[in-house]
């Protein structure tokens, strides 16, 4: 049975291959560690709100199942996980009705005291929060009021005319 001759360089290449493989494994293990420690990112939506308005709070990148958002505009709010991995923590807050207009810092904190923190800005606009129809109705001009009144009067007059005409035929 013929044997294949060994190449004299093959036994020298093995240590180089092992060294390259070990370097690749070490680099691939280091990359996720740096990505995981990128730090949290907080978000307030909307960023502009009137006193008494409601905001949504979201923080990503905590890696914990608990978190807190704090501001002089609304106090402390505990955040809850949005998924099983706890990559997103959510909450909502209503700003105080007497909060002053201007920029107010919102501090997001991962986990308990001493956890990673990130601060974003919440802008309180002057004026009161719109209630009722959600701000869908604004002030009306006198012309719009007159046109609406004329339409209502026409509809009432037409209804009365049809009702009178109908009772006149019945007799």
């Amino acid at each position: 049975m013929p044997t294949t001759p060994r190449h004299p360089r093959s036994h020298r290449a093995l240590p180089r291959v092992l060294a390259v493989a070990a370097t690749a494994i070490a680099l691939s293990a280091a990359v996720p560690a740096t990505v995981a420690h990128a730090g949290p990112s907080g978000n307030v939506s909307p960023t502009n709100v009137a006193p008494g308005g409601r905001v949504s709070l979201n923080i990503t990148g905590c890696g914990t199942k608990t978190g807190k958002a704090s501001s002089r505009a609304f106090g402390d709010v505990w955040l809850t996980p949005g998924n099983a991995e706890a990559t997103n923590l959510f909450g909502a807050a209503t700003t105080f009705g007497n909060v002053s207009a201007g920029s107010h810092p919102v501090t997001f904190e991962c986990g308990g005291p001493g956890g990673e923190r990130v601060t974003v800005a919440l802008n309180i606009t002057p004026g009161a929060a719109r209630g009722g129809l959600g701000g869908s109705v604004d002030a009306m001009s006198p012309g719009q009021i007159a046109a609406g009144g004329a339409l209502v009067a026409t509809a009432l007059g037409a209804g009365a005319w049809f009702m009178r005409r109908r009772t006149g035929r019945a007799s």
Side-chain angles (χ1 to χ4, degrees), residues 113-124:
E116 289 184 284
R117 292 181 177 195
V118 63
T119 301
V120 298
L122 170 63
N123 296 314
I124 303 296

Side-chain angles (χ1 to χ4, degrees), residues 131-162:
L133 298 173
S136 63
V137 177
D138 206 356
M140 290 191 207
S141 70
Q144 290 172 322
I145 293 171
L151 286 173
V152 169
T154 303
L156 287 173
W161 182 75
F162 277 116

Side-chain angles (χ1 to χ4, degrees), residues 3 10 21 30 35 44 52-53 85 92 94 102 130 143:
T3 60
S10 65
V35 172
V44 177
E85 293 83 30
T94 301
R130 291 187 178 217

Side-chain angles (χ1 to χ4, degrees), residues 15-67:
R16 288 185 187 165
V17 170
L18 290 175
V20 169
T23 304
I25 290 171
L27 287 175
S28 67
V31 170
T34 57
V35 172
H37 290 57
S41 173
N43 182 30
V44 177
S45 177
T47 56
N48 297 313
V49 67
R54 193 151 176 86
V55 292
S56 296
L57 307 164
N58 179 22
I59 186 169
T60 59
C62 273
T64 63
K65 293 191 185 280
T66 60

